[in-house]
Every structure is written in C-alpha cells, then in structure tokens.
Amino acid sequence: IPTEIGLLTSLTGLYLQTNAKMSGSVPTELANLSNLYWLSLYNSQFTGSIPSNLCSTLKEAWIDCGEVDCDCCRSSYDLGWTPC
C-alpha cells in the first residue's frame, strides 16, 4: 500500500482482502483516514500494525490479527464486531 493512501482523507472503505500479491507493511498513514469505517486486509500478506486511532472509527474490519498487530482485535467485542 503506498504511503500516499493517507492523503485520501474522505475514503470510507478499503478492501484488499484475499490478495496474495498484496504484501508489505501496513502504512502508518492509515491513521490519517478519519472517515474510514470499513477495512479488509484479511487473507493477504500484510505485516505491521493498524493505527490504534482507527479502532474508534471502524465499524467493520477483517484483519489477520496473527500477522498484523491491531488494538482493534483486542477490543473488538467492545465495539460489537469481530475483526479476526
């Protein structure tokens, strides 16, 4: 994912699920996506961390919690969804 994704501040959904060709670190610039409510990185080759501030805006997420560190995974039941 290019770091320029952080410039897409109106982005509400990001679907990169089930794509073995997508790999690399999750960019910290995702933290700039304050309107992001839907995120899918499940079954891809991403590593790194999901910015913790996204947990407050995400309504749904699918994330490989074993590969990607995500505070949302630890607090998902409080949010009413299961991201892993």
Side-chain angles (χ1 to χ4, degrees):
I1 305 173
T3 58
E4 290 81 8
I5 192 135
L7 300 174
L8 303 174
T9 56
S10 296
L11 190 69
T12 58
L14 182 60
Y15 179 84
L16 300 173
Q17 179 175 332
T18 313
N19 191 336
K21 293 182 181 184
M22 297 293 292
S23 63
S25 293
V26 175
T28 58
E29 289 79 8
L30 285 181
N32 298 335
L33 305 179
S34 58
N35 291 310
L36 193 68
Y37 70 86
W38 189 77
L39 176 65
S40 180
L41 302 178
Y42 185 76
N43 202 21
S44 296
Q45 302 299 314
F46 294 109
T47 58
S49 300
I50 301 295
S52 59
N53 69 305
L54 284 181
C55 294
S56 62
T57 60
L58 288 174
K59 304 283 187 256
E60 292 186 44
W62 291 273
I63 301 165
D64 286 326
C65 295
E67 302 297 321
V68 175
D69 185 36
C70 177
D71 288 338
C72 301
C73 293
R74 288 184 278 288
S75 62
S76 62
Y77 293 107
D78 296 333
L79 298 173
W81 49 262
T82 305
C84 303

